[in-house]
Amino acid sequence: MCHQSVSLIARYLEAHDIATVVMGCARDIVEFANPPRFFWSDFPLGHSAGKPHDPASQDATLRGALALFDSAGPGDSTAVSPQRWASSDSWKQDFMDVSHLSADDIAKLRAAHERVREAKAGGASS
């Protein structure tokens, strides 16, 4: 589900007295949708819950998000995760840069991505 949809759902739930926290990586998009509480991680898109295969990162992300229930009211609160994706920010320049990939490499990555999407769609409907 996209960041904006989650933020809009959070606003709806808050209007019906259900407290929410949105965890996300796309700060500009999430803040544009104005969720009541937002825990931002400066990670690549898709990693809102922490680093993959890193339970300590995932635990820290969840604890940071849950702490917003105690520390922030329901009005436009953004907390920034202290975690870093890497020791430098060079990943930001490389993250979506496909200029170094061949057309064959891109096709292989696209096919792998589609297999994951199909597997998720199959699991969601069963």
Side-chain angles (χ1 to χ4, degrees), residues 103-123:
D104 188 50
D105 290 336
I106 293 171
K108 287 177 185 176
L109 289 169
R110 181 177 288 128
H113 175 73
E114 286 304 317
R115 284 191 299 274
V116 169
R117 286 184 57 172
E118 289 170 8
K120 285 182 180 179

Side-chain angles (χ1 to χ4, degrees), residues 4-5 21 41 44 50 57 59-61 73-75 79-80 95 103 110 114-115:
Q4 281 188 312
S5 297
V21 172
S41 296
S57 170
D59 184 66
T61 301
V80 177
F95 181 61
R110 181 177 288 128
E114 286 304 317
R115 284 191 299 274

Side-chain angles (χ1 to χ4, degrees), residues 3-4 7 22-35 37-46 48 76-82 91-92:
H3 286 89
Q4 281 188 312
S7 298
V22 172
M23 298 185 322
C25 299
R27 187 174 188 169
D28 54 341
I29 295 170
V30 176
E31 287 183 338
F32 181 78
N34 197 24
R37 292 171 205 82
F38 173 40
F39 189 75
W40 177 64
S41 296
D42 191 12
F43 288 173
L45 293 178
S48 301
D76 309 332
S77 299
T78 296
V80 177
S81 172
W91 66 269
K92 293 178 184 183

Side-chain angles (χ1 to χ4, degrees), residues 42-101:
D42 191 12
F43 288 173
L45 293 178
H47 299 288
S48 301
K51 295 179 182 180
H53 312 292
D54 186 340
S57 170
Q58 296 161 8
D59 184 66
T61 301
L62 180 59
R63 287 179 186 279
L66 292 175
L68 284 176
F69 286 118
D70 293 329
S71 65
D76 309 332
S77 299
T78 296
V80 177
S81 172
Q83 295 184 75
R84 293 181 47 103
W85 182 255
S87 59
S88 79
D89 285 342
S90 63
W91 66 269
K92 293 178 184 183
Q93 284 76 38
D94 295 335
F95 181 61
M96 294 295 283
D97 181 10
V98 297
S99 64
H100 63 283
L101 298 175

